[in-house]
Amino acid sequence: MKERIERLKKLTYIPQKEIAWLIEQAELSVKQQEIIEENKRQQEVTVHQFRQAQKDIQHLSGESRRYKQALEKIITNLNFAITVAQNELEGAAE
């Protein structure tokens, strides 16, 4: 392709066939640029979605930790209440 372009630069008259080829190449270049821009846009959307997913995961991980801690406190309190109730039952049985 480069050779053909260099040859065309040297011509004073460009045949119709060569003009058609140049137009075709220009159209292909425009289509390629549009594809590149669309791919770049899709990449930006994907990056944004990925970052949002990371934030969501961090948020959910934090919530999970808080729920786990709350559940552990409830279990500790229940174990304490069970122990107290067992002690009262043993005291009442004696």
Side-chain angles (χ1 to χ4, degrees), residues 21-92:
W21 179 81
L22 285 172
I23 291 170
E24 183 181 307
Q25 295 304 308
E27 289 171 345
L28 284 173
S29 178
V30 168
K31 287 179 184 177
Q32 288 174 342
Q33 188 61 37
E34 288 171 353
I35 290 169
I36 289 169
E37 288 173 7
E38 177 61 19
N39 287 345
K40 186 184 284 188
R41 187 192 68 74
Q42 288 177 0
Q43 184 179 16
E44 289 170 356
V45 167
T46 302
V47 166
H48 175 74
Q49 290 173 336
F50 178 77
R51 288 184 179 149
Q52 186 61 46
Q54 281 182 318
K55 288 179 184 177
D56 292 346
I57 289 169
Q58 289 173 347
H59 175 74
L60 292 172
S61 294
E63 278 188 8
S64 175
R65 276 192 298 278
R66 286 190 295 278
Y67 287 132
K68 183 178 178 182
Q69 289 170 349
L71 186 58
E72 287 171 350
K73 286 181 183 178
I74 290 170
I75 291 170
T76 300
N77 290 339
L78 286 173
N79 284 334
F80 178 74
I82 290 169
T83 302
V84 169
Q86 285 175 337
N87 289 341
E88 287 180 3
L89 285 173
E90 288 173 3

Side-chain angles (χ1 to χ4, degrees), residues 3-32:
E3 297 94 22
R4 194 168 185 180
I5 293 171
E6 289 303 318
R7 187 172 56 81
L8 287 172
K9 285 180 181 178
K10 294 175 186 173
L11 295 176
T12 55
Y13 164 76
I14 301 177
Q16 195 67 28
K17 180 180 169 186
E18 299 299 334
I19 290 175
W21 179 81
L22 285 172
I23 291 170
E24 183 181 307
Q25 295 304 308
E27 289 171 345
L28 284 173
S29 178
V30 168
K31 287 179 184 177
Q32 288 174 342

